[in-house]
Every structure is written in structure tokens, then in C-alpha cells.
Amino acid sequence: GNLKQVYELWKNYIHDYSKTGQIDPKYWIYNESKIINGVDLVSQEEFNPSLYSFNINTQILYIKEIEKFKYKIHTIFYWISEDNSLNIMAEADYMAIKDGNDFKLSNFLFHSTKNWKVKKVGNITYHHFPEYKFNYKKAYSANKRIERLSQLFDLPNKKINYYIFKDCNQSEEYRGFSYLPTKYLVKSCGFYNTDNDFLYTNSFEGENYAHEIMHIINEKYNNSHYIILSGLAIYNNQKRVHLGYSFFELFNKFNDYLTKHNPSNIDLIKGIKFHNSIQTYYLMGAIIVDILLDSGGLDLLKKSMQETKTDEELLNFLYKNTDIKQENINLIIKSKVKELSSKNFKFKINL
């Protein structure tokens, strides 16, 4: 019957992927395979590389009929370690929908948000849960941000689908990730799907989440060193740029640590761990961005984003085009952190 058909659909889909490493759109509802690049959102999100690319086991835990001819497939991705313990990488949900005589897969996101409110403001189509109090002022600001980024970085006219969930758990579950190892650990979260220009965040961050909007540049500069893209994501004066902290709060914490401990060999790219949860590479990225802007303005920053992918390429580029030398890295980092933590600091580009 239907359950067997749904089971076979999923089994064949995953089996084909394991053989080819490619998503086959023939298993998916036609309109999703036409409008969604790469069609399978779970394969594109939360994990880099893709969840499917890890050499781990997949098992359906259950198939449940949601409504007539619509089934939810609940799947576990896991591996067994040498001591026979179970390690769960993720649990993911997909829909299977009757299409003619067959069943086809559909992304869980479109099922979970089908009764949501949709508002088009400029280049952004917002999707939000029904009780959310939508803020048009923030939505207009987000469009202005996209316009500025497009001008600064010579981007084509971007159109974004922007989803606002109640909280991080709803964001994961409604997108089909019913379990991730980070579940219940974070209050502020966002994800930008570069393949399809889908932005996900929560009501805490709202309509103008600069950190994620910044990722619209990633597609054009996909060969840029990750640390520059990370630095740009926090290089703005919003109240929260990383884990609920503002740019100045982050750099004040970093400056306090350096003043107190005075470390002697800070790595320009890896930085130094100074806080339990703050990811240092964002701050090192912002330092490098500011040095590049100091040395050659926006043109030099863009040049670095086109010419540096590896650590070695980035370091050589900085040695050649800025005042950074191997012997003065420590001094420069410390003086930059002090400068960026100052209330008088002015951002050199308006992101």
C-alpha cells in the first residue's frame, strides 16, 4: 500500500545518492524541483559539507500519515562507534505526497509553514508565524542594507525568502531538523542558504538580521577566505552581531583578555581562545577587514576576496599589500583590538 510506496521512495532516493553523490530531482515534487536549486533543502543546510556526504547510516524511524495522501518520513542519520555506542548526527523530516500514481518527496519547510503570513517588502519576501508582530520599519531597513551591499560588492539584484520563526528550536524543526546536536543550546540563530537565497532567523533577531543578510555576497565571492566573509558578517553597528553581543562588546571582551594575559604569539587567522562561546575567527576576520580597508579601501578588500582562499594565500596577500609583517603581527593585533573596542571607532564601510 501507500506506506510501502513511501518507504521504497525514500530508500531508492538515498541509495541513488550514496552511489552518485548527486541529488536526483526525479524523486521530488515537480514544482519544487523547478524552483529550488538542488531541490533538497536538508542536504544544503546546517552541515558543511552536506549531511549526506558523511559516511554514516540512515534509517527511517517512522512514516506517519499527516493528511490524505500526505506522509511525514522521520529519518535518523547516525553511526555506531567502536564501543558500540550510538552517535546521532541528526534526525530529519521529509514529506511524501501523492503525485498521480506515485509518491514524490517534498521539503518539510513548505508543509510546516503553509499557514504562515507572507509579506513582500521590496526584494524580500517575508514568511512569519501568524502571531508575530511584523515590523515594516525593520523590513525597509533590511532592503536598504541589501541595496548598499549590492552597490558595494557589485552584486546582481537579489531576491530573498526570509523566514522568521518563534525561536531556534522552531527554526530547526520546521525546516525538517527535528534533532541536531545543538538543540536547546542557542537563543539567537540564523542560517543563510546560499544556493536558494533563503534566510532563516527567529523573532529575537527579526526582519533585519545583518549577520545573515551579509551572506548575500557569498555566492559571488565563494572563493574568498572564510575569515574575511566572517569578519564582514560582524562589521556593523547593530546591537547584536554575534551571540547577542554588539561589535564593541565583542572587542571590549577581547581587549580585556589581551590586557590581562598579554599573550605573545597570537595567530593572525586562528586568533586565540579568549571566551567559552565567542568564535574568535569572527573577530580576527573583522581585524583583517579593517586593516585591508585602512591599506587600500574597498578595492583592496574586494581584491583580497577574489584572490585568497587558503591561509597561505591570505597571509601572502596581507604581507604584500598592508603593513603587516610576520614579526609585527602580535603588536598589530593588540593595537587593532584596542582601536576596534573604542567607542570612537568609525566603520570604514557602511554595511
Side-chain angles (χ1 to χ4, degrees):
N2 290 342
L3 284 174
K4 186 171 189 302
Q5 254 186 299
V6 170
Y7 177 78
E8 291 297 328
L9 167 73
W10 174 252
K11 200 177 84 171
N12 293 337
Y13 173 60
I14 285 295
H15 178 257
D16 277 12
Y17 184 89
S18 69
K19 278 201 315 196
T20 64
Q22 302 292 319
I23 299 292
D24 190 338
K26 77 178 183 193
Y27 291 102
W28 289 79
I29 285 282
Y30 178 75
N31 64 350
E32 286 182 38
S33 67
K34 278 284 157 275
I35 61 168
I36 305 290
N37 291 326
V39 68
D40 182 346
L41 295 176
V42 165
S43 75
Q44 300 168 3
E45 294 172 6
E46 294 299 336
F47 292 90
N48 187 13
S50 166
L51 174 60
Y52 300 173
S53 66
F54 296 97
N55 188 18
I56 53 177
N57 306 308
T58 312
Q59 179 74 44
I60 290 179
L61 288 184
Y62 62 81
I63 298 169
K64 179 183 178 186
E65 188 170 23
I66 303 285
E67 49 194 87
K68 198 168 173 58
F69 301 131
K70 285 189 176 179
Y71 292 83
K72 174 176 160 182
I73 305 169
H74 185 82
T75 311
I76 184 172
F77 293 83
Y78 70 97
W79 78 95
I80 307 289
S81 49
E82 286 175 7
D83 62 357
N84 281 335
S85 59
L86 174 70
N87 299 273
I88 300 173
M89 193 90 159
E91 288 178 38
D93 293 318
Y94 308 78
M95 295 299 291
I97 297 172
K98 187 91 171 182
D99 184 33
N101 294 326
D102 301 320
F103 278 90
K104 298 282 187 185
L105 294 169
S106 169
N107 286 289
F108 193 71
L109 174 72
F110 303 129
H111 168 76
S112 62
T113 61
K114 66 177 189 290
N115 297 321
W116 277 26
K117 299 273 195 295
V118 179
K119 294 183 176 68
K120 193 169 184 325
V121 182
N123 279 349
I124 306 176
T125 303
Y126 286 96
H127 309 253
H128 64 82
F129 59 96
E131 314 83 66
Y132 183 71
K133 287 187 172 49
F134 191 78
N135 185 326
Y136 277 96
K137 193 176 166 198
K138 282 189 174 180
Y140 292 126
S141 298
N143 273 278
K144 285 268 181 287
R145 187 181 298 283
I146 289 172
E147 277 172 35
R148 285 199 305 274
L149 289 171
S150 301
Q151 283 166 356
L152 286 169
F153 294 100
D154 320 306
L155 305 176
N157 193 18
K158 282 276 186 194
K159 298 213 176 319
I160 293 180
N161 275 287
Y162 192 123
Y163 286 82
I164 302 174
F165 299 91
K166 273 183 191 164
D167 53 34
C168 299
N169 295 325
Q170 190 186 66
S171 167
E172 291 166 4
E173 286 167 14
Y174 277 40
R175 288 186 291 125
F177 293 97
S178 46
Y179 170 79
L180 289 170
T182 53
K183 198 169 176 70
Y184 301 124
L185 293 180
V186 284
K187 183 183 177 188
S188 170
C189 53
F191 188 89
Y192 193 88
N193 179 323
T194 308
D195 292 323
N196 286 290
D197 295 310
F198 280 23
L199 191 158
Y200 311 109
T201 187
N202 52 53
S203 53
F204 185 61
E205 298 298 351
E207 298 77 0
N208 183 17
Y209 189 16
H211 186 118
E212 295 302 331
I213 291 173
M214 189 67 221
H215 292 316
I216 67 170
I217 71 172
N218 288 17
E219 187 182 6
K220 177 170 180 179
Y221 294 97
N222 62 348
N223 281 323
S224 173
H225 194 291
Y226 77 92
I227 202 155
I228 296 178
L229 295 175
S230 302
L232 283 167
I234 69 165
Y235 196 80
N236 66 73
N237 61 2
Q238 278 212 322
K239 280 185 191 151
R240 294 187 291 272
V241 296
H242 177 51
L243 297 179
Y245 297 113
S246 72
F247 183 87
F248 298 107
E249 287 166 338
L250 290 171
F251 273 96
N252 269 294
K253 285 181 184 299
F254 199 7
N255 192 44
D256 289 348
Y257 176 90
L258 295 181
T259 308
K260 187 176 172 187
H261 298 278
N262 196 22
S264 58
N265 53 346
I266 310 167
D267 189 289
L268 184 60
I269 291 171
K270 293 187 181 64
I272 191 163
K273 189 167 173 57
F274 70 96
H275 188 277
N276 277 341
S277 51
I278 291 169
Q279 306 282 346
T280 314
Y281 64 82
Y282 281 111
L283 285 84
M284 301 314 293
I287 290 168
I288 291 170
V289 164
D290 200 68
I291 288 170
L292 287 164
L293 290 168
D294 260 346
S295 306
L298 185 60
D299 288 342
L300 187 64
L301 174 65
K302 288 196 278 198
K303 192 168 191 272
S304 77
M305 292 165 74
Q306 284 155 335
E307 296 180 9
T308 68
K309 180 78 174 172
T310 66
D311 290 3
E312 190 183 354
E313 286 166 352
L314 178 57
L315 287 170
N316 287 336
F317 187 92
L318 290 167
Y319 295 152
K320 186 178 165 192
N321 295 287
T322 74
D323 293 336
I324 295 177
K325 300 286 172 278
Q326 213 153 4
E327 57 275 13
N328 69 0
I329 282 176
N330 231 49
L331 279 172
I332 285 186
I333 291 171
K334 286 174 183 173
S335 72
K336 262 295 165 198
V337 170
K338 193 169 184 180
E339 181 192 339
L340 301 189
S341 64
S342 157
K343 277 282 181 277
N344 300 322
F345 174 72
K346 296 274 189 296
F347 292 99
K348 295 173 181 67
I349 46 176
N350 179 9
L351 303 176

